[in-house]
Every structure is written in C-alpha cells, then in structure tokens.
Amino acid sequence: MTKLAVVEFKLLVREPGAVFSLLIPLFILVVFGSSIQPGDTVLLPIALAIAVGLVGLYMLPTTLATYRERGILRRMSTTPARPVNLLVVQVLLQLVLALAACGLLLAVAGAVLGAHLPTRVLPGVLTFLLGTAAMFAIGLLIAALAPNGRSANGIGVLLYFPLAYLAGLMQPPSQMPAIVAAVGEYTPMGAFRLSMQDVWAGGVPDPLPLGVMAAYALVVSVAAARFFRWE
C-alpha cells in the first residue's frame, strides 16, 4: 500500500484541481482579509468550510469516478493491490489535501493578516474531522452514483454552490430569509461553519451542529457503500 500511496501522491500533486482547492480559499481569505477586524470570528471559518467543501465535493468524487470509468478499479481487482486499497489511499490523500488547505489558510491568516486564531485546539480538531467526514461522505456517494468522472465533477459543482449558499458562505445568514438561514444550519457546510465560529469565539461547539455533521457522515457513508461500484 505504501508504493500505491506514493504513486497516488505524485498524481495528486500534478492534478490542477488540487492546486485549485488550495488557492481558491486562500484567494478569498486574502481579498476579504485585507480589512479583517481584530477578533473576527467569521471569515476564517468560512474559508475553512470552502476549502474542505472543495476537496470533499469536487476532488474526491471526480478522482474515484474517473478511475472507475478508465477501468483502473476493475483491473486492480486482479492484482495483489486490491481496489479497496486504492479507495483507502485516495480518501487519506484527500484528507491530507484538506489539511494542507486549512493549514495554509491558518498560516497566512495568523502570520500575514494578523487574524485571530483560536486557543482551544481540540474543539477545532473535532469540528474539522466531523465536517470533513460529512463532506467526504457526500463525495463518496457522488462517486458511487456518477457514471463517469465528468458527471461526478458536474454533480459536485451543482451541489457545492447551493450548499455553500445555504451554509452562509456566500451571503451572511443575517441577510438571508429566516427560513433559508435555518435550513442552512442543517447542511454539512452550515453546521461546519457554525461550529468553527463557536471555536473561533473561544467557546465549545454546540452539540446540534456536531450531531448534524456526524449524522451526515454516518448515513451518507452507508448509502455510498451500498451503491458504490468497482466497474
């Protein structure tokens, strides 16, 4: 599996989508962070949600669906490197990509923009893991249902923007209709943003959005496993 991970890592760093997933959230942070106020608890949680969403809803399903379309998963089933190993490696590498994107955001925000960073690490880590698990689960379901890589890409994009809007990543929830803002709190991105804002405010995330993310991760993962096809 180590050799497989090395090969997949080399392919990932050459993938334009990986660069896109790193630079787009950073661009948003830098553009809007130039006028960031001391103690701001909104911008960085939004940027982090954007980064994890791009990896989970765009990179992960597109890669896996493309591999199935090209017959790579089917051919691997006849070798000692079983296709499930490739699935595990891809999920781990996409997790590393999400970590790298978030780490880059935190580094630039703290060192360059002078943004407020939370002092409580564990709640932030818990929120990141649950939010990533929820969005990766949706990505795996897209990969399971999409007939090819291009379809997975399109479905991911079509899901990403409505979810991002409902989550309050494109427009402040205070400026949205009350019912739309309320619905957004029960989306994986919305729950991620809310929990991260609690962390940035120095508190402990509310159990409800944490439970929402955990429910998405569990239920959607089961559905993805049920419908996933190797060929």
Side-chain angles (χ1 to χ4, degrees):
M1 186 178 288
T2 303
K3 291 182 179 179
L4 179 62
V6 171
V7 171
E8 290 299 312
F9 176 77
K10 291 179 179 179
L11 292 174
L12 179 63
V13 297
R14 298 173 187 169
E15 172 61 45
V19 178
F20 175 84
S21 299
L22 289 171
L23 294 185
I24 291 298
L26 181 61
F27 174 77
I28 293 171
L29 175 68
V30 171
V31 169
F32 292 99
S34 58
S35 58
I36 193 171
Q37 298 297 317
D40 179 80
T41 62
V42 176
L43 182 58
L44 259 173
I46 287 176
L48 294 172
I50 290 172
V52 175
L54 284 173
V55 176
L57 301 181
Y58 170 70
M59 283 295 299
L60 180 61
T62 301
T63 301
L64 292 177
T66 300
Y67 279 9
R68 184 177 59 237
E69 177 187 3
R70 294 177 178 174
I72 294 174
L73 298 180
R74 176 177 52 79
R75 290 196 296 270
M76 287 191 68
S77 64
T78 64
T79 70
R82 297 171 61 83
V84 69
N85 291 344
L86 179 59
L87 179 62
V88 171
V89 166
Q90 270 300 321
V91 170
L92 291 177
L93 286 177
Q94 300 298 338
L95 175 60
V96 170
L97 179 59
L99 281 169
C102 293
L104 182 61
L105 290 170
L106 294 175
V108 172
V112 178
L113 301 176
H116 164 69
L117 298 179
T119 56
R120 306 184 70 170
V121 177
L122 288 181
V125 171
L126 175 62
T127 298
F128 172 81
L129 291 176
L130 286 176
T132 301
M135 285 182 258
F136 275 32
I138 296 174
L140 289 172
L141 182 59
I142 294 171
L145 298 176
N148 52 54
R150 180 171 295 183
S151 297
N153 189 336
I155 295 170
V157 171
L158 286 175
L159 275 178
Y160 180 85
F161 287 103
L163 286 176
Y165 173 76
L166 289 170
L169 306 186
M170 297 181 174
Q171 183 178 358
S174 60
Q175 299 178 12
M176 298 165 61
I179 187 155
V180 175
V183 169
E185 294 178 1
Y186 292 90
T187 65
M189 284 188 184
F192 183 91
R193 176 188 60 78
L194 284 172
S195 295
M196 277 298 183
Q197 286 183 194
D198 286 340
V199 172
W200 249 254
V204 176
D206 188 280
L208 180 58
L210 294 178
V212 168
M213 290 185 287
Y216 272 103
L218 178 61
V219 174
V220 181
S221 291
V222 170
R226 169 65 179 82
F227 292 109
F228 196 84
R229 296 166 289 116
W230 297 109
E231 57 181 295

